[in-house]
Amino acid sequence: MNKELIKRVLVTDNSFTSLALRVPAGVIFVAHGAQKLFGSFGGYGLEGTGQWMASIGLEPGYLMALAAGSAEFFGGLALLIGLLTRPAAFMLAVTMLAAITSVHLPNGLFMSNNGYEFGLALLSISVALVFNGGGKWSLDRKLSDMTSKDSAKPGRSS
C-alpha cells in the first residue's frame, strides 16, 4: 500500500477540537448501532430494524439494517479511540446523509416531529472529523507520529 496515502489518512493536529467532537459522537453512534445490531438500549435488533427499513422502501431491509448498524457501531468505536478517524467519519457522514434524505427530511427540521436536526448535527460532526482527523489522544496521532519517525531514520526512503 502507498505509504503516502497512509500518512494522509492518519495525519492530524494535536488539538482538543477533534477529541471534543469524536468522543461524544462516538458514544452516540455506538449506542445507535447497538440498537440496530443487537437490540440494545431499547432497539429492535437486526430483524426488527430490517423489517422497518423494508417498510419504508429501503430494500433489502435486513442488509440495510446490517449496513447502517455496522457503520454506526464500528464507526463509532473507531471515533472513540481515534483509529482511522477520517474513513470512519466519512462512512458515518454517508450513513447520516442517507438517514436524513430517506427518513427525516420530509418531517422538517425539528426532532419533535422526527425531523432531521439531530441527523444534521451528527452529519456536521462527521464532516468536520473527515477534514480534521482524530486530533489529540487519538491512535491516528500516535500512528502518524510513529510513521513520521520511521521515515526520518537514516537509510529509509519515503
Side-chain angles (χ1 to χ4, degrees):
M1 186 174 265
N2 185 339
K3 286 184 181 182
E4 196 58 39
L5 176 62
I6 293 170
K7 283 182 188 178
R8 274 195 222 133
V9 168
L10 296 176
V11 72
T12 185
D13 61 20
N14 202 26
S15 77
F16 283 106
T17 305
S18 292
L19 177 69
L21 292 172
R22 69 181 171 78
V23 171
V27 169
I28 292 166
F29 279 121
V30 166
H32 279 265
Q35 286 181 312
K36 289 175 181 71
L37 294 176
F38 315 120
S40 303
F41 311 112
Y44 298 106
L46 279 174
E47 279 298 321
T49 304
Q51 289 173 4
W52 174 77
M53 285 187 163
S55 77
I56 64 166
L58 295 172
E59 293 279 358
Y62 186 87
L63 289 178
M64 296 300 282
L66 181 62
S70 295
E72 290 176 355
F73 185 78
F74 295 108
L77 286 176
L79 292 187
L80 277 172
I81 62 175
L83 180 62
L84 299 173
T85 304
R86 283 188 170 92
F90 179 77
M91 286 310 303
L92 290 166
V94 169
T95 302
M96 287 299 92
L97 195 56
I100 289 168
T101 57
S102 64
V103 178
H104 302 288
L105 195 60
N107 301 320
L109 175 65
F110 297 105
M111 282 177 50
S112 59
N113 298 326
N114 197 28
Y116 60 89
E117 74 176 313
F118 185 61
L120 182 61
L122 291 174
L123 171 64
S124 300
I125 291 168
S126 298
V127 169
L129 290 170
V130 168
F131 289 123
N132 289 339
K136 196 171 204 68
W137 298 340
S138 67
L139 288 178
D140 287 348
R141 176 88 178 139
K142 183 79 169 162
L143 292 171
S144 179
D145 289 348
M146 289 171 50
T147 305
S148 297
K149 288 176 186 172
D150 282 348
S151 297
K153 286 183 181 177
R156 300 238 176 167
S157 61
S158 301

